[in-house]
């Protein structure tokens, strides 16, 4: 996420750090580098111009030029202005005072609208809501089937009336159905087009007028950069949207859309899609995103992910095992499964302060690798899992044959387990110094 922009901004900040005291000329030279980095990240030109002007005005003031650490002051200013640029604070979904809360999802075809309808429904179901998804796309082949499949996957009901009824009538009937059946949130999955046209917008306007949605969320693909900003502006002008969902942010190395949409449309980014899984969606926090862009990490989001993925009771049991030095191969496998629930390893590591995106190219974990590890461990006897020290050559051959792997892979797993076991004991005893270096190994490469 934002790898290219993060690397270029880091290079620009080096120009400030190499000097003890800064002059106004030094600041303006550095700002030219930051301006170039933002333009190459496909940030809207007017947004870049206004941003650089604001930052420069602050940076040539006494707060920086007379500071003992001017470089840090400039990074602080850029961080604050990036946060302001993206909206300042998290903009939550509005919940209607009288249910149901109606959320109208709109966007171009292929933006991920239907998938993110399901992701939002699942997110709010986990928060204790009773969502209903509504199939209002009667034009795209298999759109209704796709939504029903998602509904079964996440155990959320889907309201559909086929493809012969008008979307307006479907939306009205769905809301009445929700009132009768206790659904306090309704997500309308509307039709999209390959491009914005009069027919599409007229239909969306008609749905809006008929049901008066609490929220109108525009789903846009961040990977198309500046075009996503243009799409957002057009939809906003015609529909007066209430917020944006940026999809595929995990693959966006530039970041132009995230930095431009709020400023151009005046409407907040409310959620971001960060992967293919149904739980790969996050509320958008401008301050946390600015911190990630500047390579400062995002510890708060990392903690939230951990809280969602880790079972408190299991965590307490694990803590006890660590204190008693009884961490086994079964525990090792369980930890990997829980980390896997949090998301991809490179995403998680990218939230740690000081870890550059360029260091994460070797930090990806193949999901199949977890499956192979599980097969190896399950091919062991209970006694072997608890005490791997007894694994001699013949036992390893048996385990490799039983798991469909090789003795080399069995040895690799055991070496990894020993490394992690050692680190776990350090964590349990509070010896944190050097731990991250041990986890990441050389050149950011993971030991597993």
């Amino acid at each position: 996420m934002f790898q290219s922009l993060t690397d270029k901004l880091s290079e620009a900040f080096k120009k400030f750090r190499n000097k003890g005291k800064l002059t106004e000329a030094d600041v303006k030279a550095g700002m030219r580098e930051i301006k170039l980095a933002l333009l190459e990240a496909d940030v809207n030109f007017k947004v870049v111009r206004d941003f650089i002007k604001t930052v420069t005005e602050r940076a040539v003031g006494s707060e920086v030029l007379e500071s003992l650490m001017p470089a840090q002051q400039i990074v602080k200013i850029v961080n604050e202005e990036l946060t302001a640029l993206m909206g300042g604070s998290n903009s939550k979904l509005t919940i209607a005072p009288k249910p149901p809360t109606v959320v109208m999802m709109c966007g171009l075809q292929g933006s991920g609208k239907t998938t993110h309808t399901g992701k939002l429904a699942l997110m709010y179901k986990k928060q204790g809501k009773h969502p209903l998804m509504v199939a209002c796309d009667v034009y795209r082949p298999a759109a209704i089937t796709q939504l029903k499949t998602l509904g079964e996957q996440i155990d959320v009901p889907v309201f559909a009336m086929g493809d012969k009824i008008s979307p307006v009538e479907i939306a009205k009937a769905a809301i009445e159905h929700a009132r009768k059946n206790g659904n306090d949130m309704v997500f309308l999955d509307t039709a999209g087009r390959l491009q914005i046209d009069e027919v599409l917008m007229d239909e969306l306007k008609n749905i809006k007028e008929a049901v008066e949605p609490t929220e109108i969320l525009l789903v846009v693909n961040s990977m198309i950069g500046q075009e996503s900003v243009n799409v957002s502006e057009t939809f906003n002008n015609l529909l007066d949207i209430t917020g944006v969902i940026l999809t595929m942010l995990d693959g966006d190395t530039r970041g132009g859309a995230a930095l431009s949409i709020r400023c151009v449309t005046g409407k907040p980014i409310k959620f971001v899609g960060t992967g293919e899984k149904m739980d790969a969606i996050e509320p958008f926090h401008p301050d946390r995103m600015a911190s990630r862009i500047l390579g400062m990490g995002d510890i708060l989001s990392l903690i939230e992910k951990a809280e969602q993925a880790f079972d408190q009771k299991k965590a307490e049991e694990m803590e006890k095992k660590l204190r008693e030095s009884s961490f086994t191969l079964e525990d090792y496998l369980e930890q990997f499964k829980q980390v896997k629930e949090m998301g991809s390893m490179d995403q998680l590591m990218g939230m740690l302060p000081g870890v550059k995106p360029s260091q994460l190219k070797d930090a990806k974990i193949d999901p199949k690798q977890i499956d192979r590890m599980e097969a190896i461990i399950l091919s062991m006897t209970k006694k072997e899992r608890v005490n791997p020290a007894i694994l001699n050559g013949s036992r390893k051959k048996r385990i490799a044959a039983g798991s469909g792997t090789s003795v080399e892979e069995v040895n690799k797993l055991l070496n990894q387990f020993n490394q992690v076991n050692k680190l776990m004991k350090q964590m349990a005893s509070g010896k944190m110094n050097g731990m991250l270096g041990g986890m990441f190994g050389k050149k950011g490469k993971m030991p597993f």
Side-chain angles (χ1 to χ4, degrees), residues 128-352:
K129 298 291 185 182
H130 302 282
L132 174 72
M133 299 192 294
V134 184
C136 290
D137 184 354
V138 298
Y139 308 108
R140 181 168 63 88
I144 298 173
T145 304
Q146 182 188 356
L147 195 66
K148 286 182 176 179
T149 302
L150 285 176
E152 290 173 4
Q153 186 179 334
I154 61 176
D155 194 24
V156 169
V158 173
F159 183 89
M161 296 175 70
D163 58 5
K164 306 300 181 189
I165 310 294
S166 81
V168 173
E169 294 305 314
I170 294 172
K172 287 162 66 176
I175 292 169
E176 189 59 36
H177 175 88
R179 290 195 180 105
K180 290 178 180 176
N181 290 275
N183 299 109
D184 49 12
M185 296 194 80
V186 176
F187 294 93
L188 306 176
D189 180 31
T190 66
R193 298 283 192 280
L194 293 176
Q195 69 282 320
I196 297 169
D197 61 26
E198 192 174 336
V199 176
L200 167 68
M201 300 315 296
D202 282 347
E203 181 175 287
L204 294 176
K205 286 178 185 175
N206 291 338
I207 294 174
K208 177 185 175 181
E209 288 173 7
V211 302
E212 297 180 347
T214 317
E215 292 265 6
I216 302 176
L217 297 182
L218 174 67
V219 182
V220 290
N221 185 336
S222 68
M223 295 286 283
I224 61 176
Q226 193 57 47
E227 185 55 32
S228 64
V229 180
N230 298 334
V231 168
S232 301
E233 187 174 23
T234 304
F235 266 89
N236 185 50
N237 290 340
L238 294 170
L239 277 180
D240 190 24
I241 62 173
T242 59
V244 172
I245 300 177
L246 267 183
T247 69
M248 296 189 73
L249 201 66
D250 55 314
D252 185 9
T253 63
R254 296 179 299 174
L259 290 169
S260 303
I261 283 178
R262 172 61 188 246
C263 194
V264 171
T265 66
K267 300 300 169 66
I269 299 170
K270 295 202 171 187
F271 300 95
V272 291
T274 57
E276 296 179 4
K277 290 185 178 180
M278 291 306 293
D279 59 356
I281 185 170
E282 302 173 6
F284 184 75
H285 295 272
D287 53 342
R288 301 184 193 181
M289 196 58 66
S291 184
R292 285 196 214 183
I293 290 170
L294 295 178
M296 298 175 183
D298 183 3
I299 292 297
L300 286 176
S301 292
L302 187 59
I303 291 169
E304 287 174 3
K305 278 181 175 288
E307 287 176 341
Q308 291 168 12
F310 283 78
D311 183 279
Q312 182 64 32
K313 187 177 179 182
K314 285 183 180 179
E316 289 170 359
E317 290 172 0
M318 188 61 62
E319 184 182 359
K320 183 181 178 183
K321 287 188 175 189
L322 290 171
R323 282 200 305 267
E324 296 172 352
S325 296
S326 58
F327 185 72
T328 69
L329 279 163
E330 287 181 326
D331 300 323
Y332 181 48
L333 182 63
E334 180 63 30
Q335 291 302 295
F336 261 94
K337 287 179 177 178
Q338 292 201 22
V339 169
K340 191 178 173 184
E341 288 294 313
M342 291 173 64
S344 68
M345 189 59 66
D346 52 332
Q347 280 183 25
L348 299 179
M349 297 306 119
M351 293 180 185
L352 292 171

Side-chain angles (χ1 to χ4, degrees), residues 12 15-16 19 22-36 52-53 55-61 64-65 74:
K15 294 185 179 298
F16 299 120
K19 298 177 182 291
L22 294 178
T23 65
E24 188 170 330
D26 292 332
V27 170
K28 289 185 176 178
M31 287 302 141
R32 281 194 291 272
E33 294 289 327
I34 293 174
K35 178 180 179 181
L36 189 60
I52 293 297
K53 181 184 176 186
V55 173
T56 303
E57 286 174 354
R58 289 186 61 185
V60 297
V64 170
L65 299 185
I74 288 180

